[in-house]
Each structure stands twice: as structure tokens, then as C-alpha cells.
Amino acid sequence: IASPLEGATPPERLRQLNYIYFYSELSVPDSGFGHGLGKLDSALNSDLEWLREQSKMLLQAAAWQEKDRDPDRLIRGSLLKEAEAWLASRPVTAPDITDLQRAYLDASRQAEDKEAEVIRRQLAERERLLAEAEAAQQRAQEAQEAREAAQQREAEHAKAVVRRTLVGLGASLVLAAIAGWFGWTAEIRNQELISQKSKLSLAHQRLSTEMELRIAPFGSKAYAIPKHWYKLATTNAASIGFIEVRDQGKVRELGSGFVITGKALHPSWGDEKLFVTAQHIAIDGEDRIVRFPAISGDRATKLGKQLWVGTPQDQYVEGQGIDISILRIEGRLPLGVKSVDAVSDLDISEWKQVEFQNNGDTVKEAVAEPMPLLALGGTTLQKWEDPAKMPTLSLTLSLSKALGRAHQGADKIIFTDSTTIGSSGSPVFDASNGKVVAVLQIGTLAPNSGSGLDFSGGTTMRVLMEAIRKSFDLETAPIVPKMESSSSTLR
């Protein structure tokens, strides 16, 4: 017979977790031997592992709900499959999941299916284009074979006619004339094919040309650009995009950027193609599109939300911090667009700082060893005051020389100025190895007045990747303190 444990007190933690009343207790609802036996049976048959996973899933769903159902907090891939298998294995005695948990899993599945559909369509489009190219090549080959067969039939028919109607020397002369005519037409067609192949070969040769570029003396030294600078420019031009930020149908911001494969910046981003630009260009919450002038200047590709931003908008100060934004590409990229994946690990933390003059408008002198740089992006010399009259950006290769570093919330590489408004977000390449070394952001306010050197600058890829790594470690974007604005201006 169940009765109270007179004078016996179970441990506090055990009493809170597993205390079941097998005797009737007026102050405890559903107490008594029958109810207690049912509770004991339920406890012994509970799947604790399943309940722990339910608690974990509830925390994830609550965090998602708290962040306004941010898609980045959804689960994908193998984690989603495991969660769906967990739900399917719910024991009969286990409580049902909450509406929030179900909404969280449904949203995760929808996002996964949407991404899979995008990939499927891209693969299908690729297969379609390859099939069309192969079909066109097959049709061209069949047409050529048909022409050659027709020529052969015509030649044999002509010979037969001559043999039946002419004899002796007259027949020989006619046959020679006919054979000469067909030989001449065949030679013309052969020369046309050779000419087409030669044009393709010459075009490839021009793109692969090694051309030395020597720059006039800078201070006391001249410096040379390595031979592959031309190939570097023509190859990477296919990755450069001109970004437009629209507000109520009008272009409010205009700048440059480039496509990169995510894992070149952080392993967790995998093979996804991302768009890198200056953060002050890609202001969040606006309609953003990008055009690729070297591929198809008229076609616009829609950009998605900011995947990562160096300095949050509410903490941003002009020219300071890590002024870089990484965006997802929502639309389909035009055929031929490439990604810049060769990233430099250049460390400028030990470089000397440049000495600024005239409130920072110019720098006094070069303080680093000669290091040739190439900036590839858009530039315009037009003034832009009316949003309805958008200026035209020109794809421009700008030659520069490293001058040193400046600390503006984070180290920035400073180099001779050769860019204009519209170049913000351009990749800056190390001409010695072809790797992208920095993202251009700032430049001199006004043309040089004779008191110093005009300059441009930007955040190095090393600083960017370190900031991305830290943000993944901390699960939040790095916070950059506010600083006084410099005299440099955004590009």
C-alpha cells in the first residue's frame, strides 16, 4: 500500500524532476496509486533523445522568429534531412511539435527546394546551350558534307557528258577546263575555312599576348608592369560589374564590383557566386541591379540581400572601417561571366604610414618600395547631381603604385590616384602575380594643387577575410567604432 514517506525527504533535484505521488494528496491534482502508476509508465516509455532534439529545435525556431524569420537562420542540407527524419520518428507518447517549430521546418524545406530549383535550372540551361551548340556544329558538318557530295556528283556528271559528246583533243580540253573550274571553287572554299580559323587563332593570340609596360619615373625610380598585365585585364574584365542602386525608379548610387566564388573568402560559402562591392554603394534595403559591360552591357542581373557587411550602417562613418559589402546574386548571371578567385594574402600592417598634407587631400611622398597595382572597374568624369540623368561608366584599367598604408578604422592600402567617381568597389590587382589584393573605396577630394600626390585607397583582402572569419567565430558582424571623418572622399 502506497503511503507518505514519513520523516524521509528525497534529494531536492530528484524531487523536482521525478517525484510521483502514489498516495492521495489533496494538494496535488491527479495524485493516487492509479494516476501515479500511469505517470510512471509514461516516464519509463519517454524517448529522452527525441525530447532533447525537440528542445533544441524549439530554441532554433525561437531564434529564427526573434530575427524576423531571417532566411540565413534556416537549416539546410544534411541538417534539414536529419530534422525531417527526427520529426517522422516522433514516438506515440511524445508531445506534438509546436506551430512555430512546424513553420520553421516548412520554411527551411521551401528555402532548400528553391535553391535546388535554381541550381537545376542553371544546369538545365547549361545543358540546353551545349546541346544547341553541338546541334549547330552537327548541322554545319552535315551541310559541308552535302556540298562536297553535290560537287562530286556534278563533277562526275560533267565528265560523263564530255565523254559521250566529245572525242580526241577537244574532249581532253573540255575535261581539263571543267576540272580546273571545280578545283578553283574548292580552293576558294578551303581558303574561306582557313581564313575563319586564322581569325579565331589571331583573336586568341591577341588575348594571350605578353606585352611589357614601362611606367615613367616616379620620384627617383621608374618601374615596369610584368608582361601578363594585358592578359590579366582581358581575363578579369568578364568578372567586373557596374552596380546601380535604385530608389523609386531612379538611380541613387552607382559604382563597381566583382564576382567571386564564396569559398575564396570563407569555406562555409562554398561554390556560391557572390558579388563584392563598397558598402557605401550597396546600401541595404534598396533595389540593386548589376550589369557586366564586358559580357552584355544591356542585360541587368538582380542582386539579393547583403550576406555580409563590414561596418553596420548605423555605425558607418565616411571613409572609415571596413567599407565592403558582400551580396547574394538573385538573378541568373549572363553566359560568360567569370569569377575572380585568385586572392592575395598581402599583409601591410608593417608598412609605414603615409604622411598627409592639406588636411588629408594629398600625401607627401611614397614610403613603400615600388609595387605596381592595377584597378579594374568603372569610371566617369561627369558630374552627377540629377538622379534622372545617370552618367555612363566606362570599363577602365587604372595603373597605380603603392604608397603605404593609412589607418581609418582598419588598415587601408594607399596608392597613386588614377580613378574617378564610379570606381568604388573595383578590385585592385597585384600586377606581379595577378591576384586581387584590395577593394577600392576612397580617393583624393580634388585634383592635385602641386603640394602633394593625389591618392586612392581601399581595404586589403587579408583584412576583409580576417573580419569575415571573426564574424563567423562570434556569430555576428564585427563592430567598428565611430571615428572622425577624414578629408578623403568616397569613390
Side-chain angles (χ1 to χ4, degrees), residues 4 61 66 177 182 231 257 262 343 378 455:
E66 184 180 353
F182 280 107
K231 184 177 180 180
V343 178
F455 70 93

Side-chain angles (χ1 to χ4, degrees), residues 56 65 86 167 191 302 323 356 421 443 449 481:
K56 178 181 176 182
Q65 178 74 8
W86 163 80
V167 292
Q191 290 298 326
K302 186 174 178 59
D323 179 24
F356 289 92
I421 296 297
S449 59

Side-chain angles (χ1 to χ4, degrees), residues 324-341:
I324 295 178
S325 178
I326 302 173
L327 299 101
R328 280 200 155 101
I329 299 172
E330 187 173 307
R332 190 177 65 188
L333 289 172
L335 189 65
V337 171
K338 297 183 178 180
S339 58
V340 175
D341 295 330

Side-chain angles (χ1 to χ4, degrees), residues 31-257:
S31 60
F33 186 84
H35 288 290
L37 190 61
K39 292 178 180 179
L40 177 61
D41 178 74
S42 177
L44 292 176
N45 287 284
S46 293
D47 188 336
L48 297 181
E49 187 63 27
W50 194 93
L51 293 175
R52 291 191 188 98
E53 286 298 319
Q54 184 185 30
S55 299
K56 178 181 176 182
M57 183 66 63
L58 184 59
L59 290 176
Q60 291 176 326
W64 171 65
Q65 178 74 8
E66 184 180 353
K67 293 296 183 180
D68 297 328
R69 301 199 170 191
D70 184 0
D72 287 345
R73 289 186 174 269
L74 297 173
I75 52 176
R76 293 179 173 82
S78 59
L79 293 178
L80 178 58
K81 291 180 180 178
E82 290 174 4
E84 290 174 334
W86 163 80
L87 179 59
S89 66
R90 183 176 73 86
V92 176
T93 58
D96 197 3
I97 64 173
T98 66
D99 292 342
L100 177 59
Q101 287 176 304
R102 192 171 300 280
Y104 180 66
L105 290 175
D106 290 344
S108 298
R109 169 49 59 192
Q110 291 172 7
E112 179 84 349
D113 292 344
K114 182 178 179 181
E115 292 178 1
E117 178 62 16
V118 170
I119 295 174
R120 187 194 66 76
R121 290 180 181 177
Q122 290 176 343
L123 292 175
E125 178 65 10
R126 179 183 177 187
E127 292 297 327
R128 185 185 68 79
L129 293 174
L130 289 174
E132 289 181 357
E134 292 175 356
Q137 184 177 6
Q138 180 65 26
R139 289 195 296 271
Q141 180 66 26
E142 292 173 354
Q144 177 65 22
E145 292 174 355
R147 287 193 295 270
E148 292 175 354
Q151 292 173 6
Q152 182 67 24
R153 289 194 299 272
E154 291 173 1
E156 291 177 356
H157 178 70
K159 290 179 182 179
V161 171
V162 170
R163 283 195 297 269
R164 289 196 301 268
T165 57
L166 298 177
V167 292
L169 181 60
S172 300
L173 291 175
V174 172
L175 287 172
I178 293 174
W181 181 81
F182 280 107
W184 175 69
T185 56
E187 179 64 21
I188 289 178
R189 290 188 176 90
N190 187 48
Q191 290 298 326
E192 288 176 350
L193 290 174
I194 293 175
S195 176
Q196 292 175 359
K197 292 180 180 179
S198 297
K199 289 179 180 178
L200 292 174
S201 177
L202 289 173
H204 177 73
Q205 182 178 347
R206 284 195 297 270
L207 292 176
S208 303
T209 299
E210 292 188 345
M211 185 186 305
E212 292 186 357
L213 179 63
R214 189 164 180 81
I215 309 300
F218 181 86
S220 60
K221 294 183 179 180
Y223 66 102
I225 304 295
K227 293 181 180 180
H228 58 258
W229 70 271
Y230 179 71
K231 184 177 180 180
L232 186 156
T234 53
T235 300
N236 288 303
S239 70
I240 305 301
F242 293 164
I243 180 173
E244 301 172 10
V245 179
R246 297 177 177 271
D247 185 9
Q248 297 181 353
K250 296 181 180 179
V251 176
R252 192 184 69 181
E253 296 289 348
L254 191 67
S256 304

Side-chain angles (χ1 to χ4, degrees), residues 251 254 379-393 420-422 445-447:
V251 176
L254 191 67
T379 59
T380 178
L381 297 176
Q382 298 173 256
K383 292 183 179 179
W384 186 28
E385 298 175 353
D386 183 359
K389 298 179 180 179
M390 182 180 68
T392 300
L393 290 184
T420 69
I421 296 297
L445 274 170

Side-chain angles (χ1 to χ4, degrees), residues 405-421:
R405 71 179 178 92
H407 190 79
Q408 297 178 305
D411 280 341
K412 286 183 170 56
I413 185 171
I414 303 298
F415 40 90
T416 50
D417 188 55
S418 57
T419 60
T420 69
I421 296 297

